[in-house]
Every structure is written in C-alpha cells, then in structure tokens.
Amino acid sequence: MAKQADTQTAQQDVASMFSLDIRNDGVAIVTFDVPGESQNTLKIEAVDEANRLFDELEQNSTVKAVVFKSGKPGSFIAGADINMLVRCQTADEATELARGGQNFFNRIERFRAPVVAAIDGACLGGGFELAMACHGRVATDNPKTSVGLPEVMLGLLPGSGGTQRLPRMIGVPAALDLMLTGKHVRASKALRMKLVDDVVPAPILEQAAIELAQKLVKRRETAQRKRSLMDWALEGNPVGRKVMFDQARKQMLAKTKGNYPAPKRIIEVVEIGVNRGFEEGLKAEARSFGELAMTPEMRELTRLYFATTEMKKDLGVADDKVKPREIHRIGVLGAGLMGAGISYVTIGKAKIPVRLKDKEPQGLSRGLKQIHDTIAKRVERRSITKIEGQIEGNRVTPTLDYSGFKNADMVIEAVFEDLGLKHKMVQEIEAHCPEHCIFATNTSSIPIGRIAEGAKRPELVIGMHYFSPVEKMPLLEVIATDKTRPDVIATTVDIGRKQGKTPIVVKDGAGFYVNRILAPYLNEASHLLSEGVAIDRIDKTLTQFGFPVGAFALLDEVGLDVGTKVGPILHEAFGDRMKPVESGDKMLKDGRYGKKSKKGFYKYEGVKKGKKEVDETVYDLLGVKPDNSMNEAEIVDRCVLMMINEAARCYEEDVIRSLRDGDIGAIFGIGFPPFLGGPFRYADNRGIGEIVARLQELEKRCGMRFQPAPILVKLAEEKRGFYQE
C-alpha cells in the first residue's frame, strides 16, 4: 500500500514476519506477513518476534499509536497454526501455548498507546483474539472479510483471551452464541454487533485505521472508563447470571447431547471470568485449552480439518497435469427442489449464470420463487445487501425450451429418476449444446454408466449427486464411469467446490457410496422397529450416539418414496443383505411419504414447531407393539455396524478413492458424528477385532446381513487398522 506523501518513515526489518514504519505523526504501522505462505497464521516464532517488536515500540517515545495490519491483501490472520498444537504431547504443553498467546495479547491491551487492527479478509481464532486485544478495529467491506472464534469446530475453546474479552465487548449471550457455534461474522454484521468500530473500502483501510488510532489517543481515558463500567455490569446481578448460564447449558446439551466437551468448557470458563474476574478467567481458559487439546474429540476434529483442507487441492484425478476447464454458463434441467437448489448455489456461491429449464410454466415459477425466496432470506438477515441479492437473482433466467443453451459449457440434469427420461435429456442436450458441453446427472440411484448408454459422447457424461436441501448439505458425490474423461472429472470437482460443496469422487455403481452405506443403516432401524423397538427409542439412541437426527426422522425428511426407489436397486445389486424391510411399502400404501405429505413416522399436523411426536397409528399399521426394553448399545451396534461394514466393502471394492474420502463422505453426507472421525476412524479407535467379533455374534442371532466384510476379517487377523499408524 502506498505511504502518505507527508510521512517520513523509518523502516527496518524487525523480523522476517514483521515490518515497522513509524510515521512523522507518531503512528507506527506494523505489518504482519508470514513469508512463503498464502495466509497468515500465528506461530510460536511470530509471538516471540512480536514481543521483541513491542519491546522496541515501548522504548520509542515518539510512538503515539500503533496500527496492526496484514501484508497479504484479502487475508488478515486466519488463526493460530494448528500444527504447533498437534505437536504438543501433554496438556501442560498446550496450556503453555495458550498462556504465551494470552501474555502477548495482554501486552497489546495494556500498551501505553492505542493499538488499532486494520482487518482485510479472514480474522479468525487467534487472529480475532489479537484484534480484540487492540483498542480499536477497522474492517474492509471485502466479502472475504469476516471475524469469529471457530475453535469449537476443532474441539477446543479460544485460548488466548477470547473467552474473556468477547463477553466484555458484546455481552455474554451474544459472545456464547459466537463461541459455541464457531460462526464467521461478515464485516457489516460485525459492525452492528460492535465487534469492529468501522467498515471501509479496502483501498482506504490503512488511512481509516490511522484516523481511528489518532482519535483514540485523544479519547484514551474515556475508553478506559467505558471498559470499567462494562466490567461492573458483568459482575452485577448474580441471580440473573445464574439463570443465564443455566439456560446456556440447557440449550448446549440439547444440541450436543454431551458428546462434545468443548462447548461445556466454554460456558464454564466464561462463567468463571464473569464471577471471579478477568485474570481468573484467563487461568481457567488456558488450563481448559490444554486439557481439551488432549481429548480424542479434538484429535478427530483436527484430523477432519486437515483432511478437508487437503481435499481443497484434490481435483479427483491421478494425473497432476490435468486441469479443470473454465465454465462460463451452466444449464439446469428441472426446476423442482433439487434443480432450484442447484441453480441457487451456482448463481450465489459459484457466481456462474444459470439457464433454468422446466417443461411446465408452473414448475418454472415455483423453482424461481424458491431461488428468490432463499436470496430474500439472506438479504433480510443482512448476510448480503439488497443490491448483492438483486445481482444474484439476475444470474438465473428461465426457459421452457432450449433457447439459451447453445453457449452452455455444462448442463446439470435434475429430472425424475427415470432412465428413459434421462436418456431423452442427454440426447436433447447433445442436440442443442456445443460439442464440449459436459452433461452432469443428479441421480441418487441410477448408475451413471446406464445413463451414458444413451449418449453419443459418453466421455462427457458424469454424475453430480447432491444432497437435499442443496443449499445446506455440504457434500457432493462426483461419479465417474470408466469412459469419463479426466478433464471432465476435474472440471466437475472444481465446479462443485465453487458451489460451496466438498466433493468426493466415487466409482459408478448402485448407490454410489453415501446411499450404499446409508441404506443398511436405515434398513436395520426398520428391522428393529419390526421387532418392537419404539421409534423414538431408536431415534433418541442414535442422536445420543452423535447423529444429527434419528433414522426415522431422516426417512421422513428425505421422503419414504425416495427410499423405496433406491432400495430395490441395491437389493438387485447386492443380494439379500440389502433386502428392504416390508414396512416401507406399507407406509407408502397408507399415503405416508414423510414430511412432504405431512404424514409419516412422526406427526406434522397440529404439532408445535420444533417438537417431534411419533404418530402412534404407525404401530397398528405395521402390526407392532412398541417397547423400550432393548438396551442402547444393542440399538447402536445393530445400526451403526451395518454402516461400518458396508463402508469397509466400498473401500475394498475401490468405490471410494481413499479412507479420507470415505470418512468425509459419511460425515458431510450422512451426518456421521464428526467427533468420532468417520466410519474408518471409528472402526480403528474401537478396534477392528472387537467389531468383527460383534458382527459375527449379530450374524448368528440376526442373519447373514451382518456377515463381516472380508477386509475387516483380514485386518482383524493381522491386528491392524485401516489407517497405518
């Protein structure tokens, strides 16, 4: 950034990560720029160097204020370097890391002159803790600019003062919400929440930060008085405080089922700080940070973080020389829930124009309404501005024919699950689109190879299996046939990533990966119901295990008609171990399609929002007398081990490219508990030998569907796990 014309600077290299410019008006500009990395992260070396820098600043009497900025445009500080935490062997080592960060940020807060953070881009975790320790914060209106404390997503809590400073900035309830969810807050909302003091265009960020620093020099005493008044407010009204923290715990346990230790510790540490003061809060924070760093939950969540980060560089092909094509226009066939959802993530996240086609005007109208309603909600929540919403909405144009498709680089089909119809679609696209156009089919059950049989150019046919609702579900299965060209695979993965998805490339075949491992899990829940286990008993046990919703709640959400389409295909492909339970057909004959028909395993008419009540008439329909006698461990093993066993078969058959993809696919596609690391990590941690023994026991009691996969038996005999560690 250009320096002010009237500024006389004294520049020197303080350390490899920092540079210092002292203006003639006494404002010191400190620039943080980690060499050779795309974004700044806080390392031990950075804290050591920063301490030396502040030694110099403290001794320089000409320094009247400090502005702290990043040397990387569009990236402030993404957080602490997680690798330094992974290297810790004990809780004491991790606690010392936290104390080091606390001590430095305390030093910033207590610095004799005002310090202002100039934020452009991601300001997260330790980066936001640094910004909070500053006396002022100015952010840019760059869409990439956001602040937040996402440590809970790694099974941790903010360890460098965040649990103590944030409540004092915005109040306890709002602070707990940010820390317990790990939300990223965009600049405009951060300003409304008083997380930052100003939002400006990026070109004037440094000047705006300098001006704020100069104002703070004059207002320093007033600012200190405001801080002490806030401290007093936090320490008052002990009865109200107890109610507030009790309610926070109740809400947290309802969401986490006690499976995640970090949210519990966050509430505890904040409460200690409020009740016993800032210094005691810091001590509790550092101690809890160290202890959480050694938990199995943190280990698995951190592995998940590294795995998803690694996937961002993976285009799904073995040859590194293969590059994705540029996609400028996308056509979408079918304006139903899936087609509208695909269109929305394409125009909103990928920012690629969409031509949306449907055969009926009413269907097209409903699809456009769904898209524009979703945009309107984001505008209403102020996630985007009204102008940004209008720009997004203008990227989609409707049609009842193929006008506008002549320039499409890719067409994504989201029509009914009918092979003949899909053959018709691919043939029409080949007739109306350029020869290079990729045809992607969003099918959940029909093998892509069978769809490609209807194509003149099967090498351009690929599967894109989205999950409903498209705008919320993070996974995308990219399904390649043995004829799909590598550049088509790479391009499809790239588009999925631009749509905000985490894509995994899987081999073509019945059920692909996610539905193939989900089907036996849901089927086994239906077996349990047929044996008399109550619906809510099964669902409550599975959510307590860590799934976001129970098996029957999921069936109602997805739609029982969808399951009945996938079930026979899997049964035909894999035999009796995938034979569907008869209850599905009985439910459909009674008009029970789930949530969409307001009639399923649960009640939907006359029920309070957020409350689920089992429709007791289901038991008479299925000829079942429900009870709660089966123990929770039996319910979990019957359902979960079916999923583990099928995941093992998928790995053995090369349906997934790696264990990493299998774990991430299950977590992001099905909601397998993230703190357990995915099916393969769970199997390793529980012990392959124990899982095989349990499957064999269940096989004797319940039938051949529990027969252990050959790879599980082999690993058990060799006393090895999936991951060679």
Side-chain angles (χ1 to χ4, degrees):
M1 188 176 288
K3 297 178 175 62
Q4 301 299 309
D6 64 345
T7 300
Q8 180 182 0
T9 64
Q11 184 170 4
Q12 53 188 310
D13 290 330
V14 177
S16 59
M17 298 184 195
F18 292 92
S19 62
L20 172 64
D21 294 307
I22 302 177
R23 295 161 41 104
N24 62 357
D25 60 3
V27 177
I29 310 295
V30 175
T31 304
F32 180 44
D33 193 346
V34 180
E37 295 190 13
S38 60
Q39 58 184 10
N40 291 324
T41 56
L42 292 170
K43 307 172 186 290
I44 295 175
E45 299 84 2
V47 174
D48 291 342
E49 292 173 6
N51 271 309
R52 290 194 293 271
L53 172 66
F54 270 77
D55 287 342
E56 181 171 341
L57 290 171
E58 283 173 348
Q59 293 166 14
N60 190 333
S61 60
T62 66
V63 173
K64 307 298 182 189
V66 178
V67 169
F68 193 102
K69 70 169 190 171
S70 166
K72 300 183 189 297
S75 176
F76 185 66
I77 302 175
D81 180 7
I82 298 171
N83 286 298
M84 68 180 180
L85 184 58
V86 171
R87 288 192 291 267
C88 291
Q89 299 296 311
T90 66
D92 287 344
E93 288 180 38
T95 296
E96 282 307 307
L97 275 182
R99 284 181 181 146
Q102 288 177 351
N103 290 339
F104 175 59
F105 295 159
N106 286 347
R107 185 174 189 180
I108 292 176
E109 186 175 52
R110 295 164 187 166
F111 189 64
R112 59 177 177 78
V115 183
V116 172
I119 303 166
D120 182 32
C123 175
L124 303 171
F128 188 41
E129 288 180 296
L130 182 151
M132 284 192 288
C134 295
H135 308 103
R137 288 153 293 281
V138 180
T140 68
D141 57 7
N142 181 346
K144 293 181 179 179
T145 297
S146 63
V147 301
L149 296 173
E151 286 87 350
V152 71
M153 308 301 289
L154 295 176
L156 294 167
L157 50 66
S160 295
T163 65
Q164 304 307 301
R165 289 192 175 91
L166 190 59
R168 286 164 171 77
M169 283 178 64
I170 61 173
V172 172
L176 284 177
D177 179 57
L178 285 187
M179 287 187 281
L180 293 174
T181 61
K183 290 176 185 173
H184 296 190
V185 181
R186 287 183 62 176
S188 56
K189 186 174 181 180
L191 181 62
R192 294 195 302 274
M193 293 180 69
K194 300 187 176 172
L195 294 167
V196 298
D197 299 288
D198 199 4
V199 175
V200 299
I204 64 168
L205 173 63
E206 183 175 325
Q207 183 56 37
I210 289 169
E211 290 173 4
L212 177 59
Q214 291 169 333
K215 289 177 184 176
L216 288 175
V217 171
K218 299 173 183 176
R219 299 202 319 242
R220 192 70 191 273
E221 289 184 7
T222 306
Q224 287 176 336
R225 277 202 298 276
K226 286 181 180 177
R227 171 68 187 275
S228 64
L229 285 171
M230 178 60 80
D231 287 347
W232 177 85
L234 282 168
E235 290 166 8
N237 192 4
V239 175
R241 283 203 312 270
K242 184 178 185 307
V243 171
M244 176 177 62
F245 283 110
D246 286 348
Q247 185 65 21
R249 285 189 181 88
K250 182 179 177 182
Q251 292 173 350
M252 177 270 296
L253 287 171
K255 291 179 180 178
T256 68
K257 306 294 187 289
N259 287 316
Y260 294 84
K264 179 175 179 287
R265 299 299 283 271
I266 287 171
I267 295 171
E268 286 175 1
V269 167
V270 171
E271 188 171 23
I272 289 169
V274 169
N275 288 334
R276 290 156 52 186
F278 188 77
E279 292 302 325
E280 287 300 313
L282 287 180
K283 290 177 185 176
E285 178 189 83
R287 184 172 59 252
S288 293
F289 182 87
E291 291 168 358
L292 287 170
M294 296 298 116
T295 61
E297 291 83 3
M298 182 271 177
R299 182 184 67 226
E300 295 305 338
L301 292 171
T302 301
R303 282 172 171 165
L304 180 62
Y305 168 80
F306 283 126
T308 52
T309 301
E310 183 184 73
M311 284 189 78
K312 292 175 184 176
K313 305 169 189 173
D314 186 354
L315 288 170
V317 291
D319 187 352
D320 292 339
K321 295 177 183 176
V322 175
K323 302 298 178 188
R325 300 188 209 163
E326 286 290 327
I327 298 293
H328 301 287
R329 297 174 188 84
I330 289 178
V332 175
L333 303 179
L337 288 173
M338 294 302 290
I342 293 165
S343 298
Y344 170 74
V345 296
T346 305
I347 62 171
K349 299 272 189 180
K351 304 192 184 308
I352 297 173
V354 165
R355 187 71 161 167
L356 178 61
K357 180 185 180 301
D358 201 277
K359 64 178 182 177
E360 300 289 345
Q362 299 91 335
L364 203 52
S365 178
R366 282 193 300 270
L368 289 171
K369 183 177 185 302
Q370 179 184 328
I371 293 166
H372 289 293
D373 284 352
T374 307
I375 293 171
K377 286 177 185 174
R378 292 179 64 214
V379 172
E380 187 180 336
R381 293 197 305 265
R382 299 186 182 179
S383 298
I384 55 174
T385 65
K386 192 172 183 179
I387 292 173
E388 288 171 330
Q390 288 172 346
I391 292 170
E392 281 189 12
N394 289 339
R395 289 196 187 107
V396 61
T397 55
T399 182
L400 294 170
D401 54 30
Y402 283 102
S403 60
F405 274 71
K406 64 180 180 180
N407 294 319
D409 301 305
M410 170 183 268
V411 172
I412 304 172
E413 163 273 302
V415 300
F416 295 113
E417 292 285 78
D418 179 272
L419 183 60
L421 178 59
K422 290 182 186 288
H423 281 166
K424 183 173 181 283
M425 292 296 97
V426 71
Q427 289 159 7
E428 289 181 358
I429 289 303
E430 289 181 329
H432 291 92
C433 295
E435 289 191 1
H436 70 267
C437 182
I438 295 169
F439 182 86
T441 173
N442 172 53
T443 178
S444 60
S445 58
I446 304 172
I448 310 304
R450 294 183 66 188
I451 295 172
E453 287 171 0
K456 291 180 182 176
R457 296 185 286 274
E459 70 277 6
L460 297 179
V461 177
I462 196 165
M464 292 181 83
H465 180 208
Y466 295 86
F467 296 81
S468 185
V470 177
E471 59 271 21
K472 292 182 180 178
M473 293 298 285
L475 188 72
L476 171 68
E477 279 186 306
V478 174
I479 308 105
T481 72
D482 56 1
K483 294 180 180 178
T484 308
R485 279 186 355 208
D487 67 304
V488 172
I489 298 171
T491 302
T492 306
V493 169
D494 184 56
I495 288 297
R497 201 163 283 142
K498 287 176 178 174
Q499 291 172 329
K501 303 300 174 190
T502 298
I504 61 169
V505 176
V506 302
K507 190 167 77 173
D508 192 20
F512 314 131
Y513 172 65
V514 171
N515 279 346
R516 182 170 161 185
I517 68 171
L518 177 62
Y521 164 85
L522 295 176
N523 208 36
E524 196 57 34
S526 296
H527 275 292
L528 290 169
L529 173 59
S530 69
E531 293 170 26
V533 186
I535 291 167
D536 47 355
R537 170 73 169 173
I538 297 167
D539 276 6
K540 185 177 179 182
T541 299
L542 293 172
T543 54
Q544 195 68 45
F545 177 75
F547 284 98
V549 295
F552 295 104
L554 179 61
L555 280 167
D556 269 6
E557 190 70 35
V558 172
L560 276 75
D561 54 327
V562 175
T564 57
K565 288 176 182 175
V566 176
I569 293 171
L570 294 173
H571 185 201
E572 180 185 352
F574 303 112
D576 283 349
R577 80 167 190 272
M578 290 279 196
K579 184 178 179 181
V581 179
E582 293 178 0
S583 59
D585 290 333
K586 291 181 180 178
M587 295 285 287
L588 292 182
K589 285 177 183 176
D590 195 47
R592 295 176 183 268
Y593 288 79
K595 192 175 180 180
K596 65 177 74 173
S597 66
K598 297 192 182 301
K599 190 178 180 185
F601 291 103
Y602 287 89
K603 291 180 180 178
Y604 295 94
E605 299 283 4
V607 178
K608 290 182 181 179
K609 188 177 179 181
K611 189 175 182 181
K612 279 195 179 296
E613 291 182 16
V614 173
D615 186 344
E616 300 286 337
T617 61
V618 169
Y619 296 126
D620 289 335
L621 174 69
L622 301 180
V624 170
K625 292 184 178 180
D627 67 49
N628 292 313
S629 61
M630 186 174 287
N631 67 61
E632 293 177 353
E634 177 80 359
I635 294 170
V636 166
D637 279 358
R638 288 273 299 269
C639 295
V640 173
L641 293 190
M642 287 294 283
M643 183 183 288
I644 304 296
N645 205 22
E646 201 60 39
R649 293 180 191 276
C650 287
Y651 179 64
E652 192 169 20
E653 297 166 18
D654 295 324
V655 172
I656 47 177
R657 295 170 64 235
S658 66
L659 296 168
R660 176 202 70 187
D661 287 6
D663 280 335
I664 288 176
I667 291 169
F668 287 0
I670 297 171
F672 192 93
F675 68 93
L676 294 176
F680 300 106
R681 289 286 185 190
Y682 173 76
D684 279 2
N685 291 334
R686 182 166 172 178
I688 304 294
E690 180 186 331
I691 285 176
V692 168
R694 188 77 172 105
L695 285 168
Q696 289 170 337
E697 178 195 338
L698 289 168
E699 182 185 5
K700 289 176 184 175
R701 287 199 285 114
C702 304
M704 61 76 60
R705 65 183 183 274
F706 283 99
Q707 185 179 40
I711 190 173
L712 286 175
V713 175
K714 184 174 185 291
L715 288 172
E717 289 172 349
E718 296 173 357
K719 294 182 169 53
R720 293 191 299 121
F722 284 104
Y723 290 92
Q724 297 302 307
E725 297 179 351

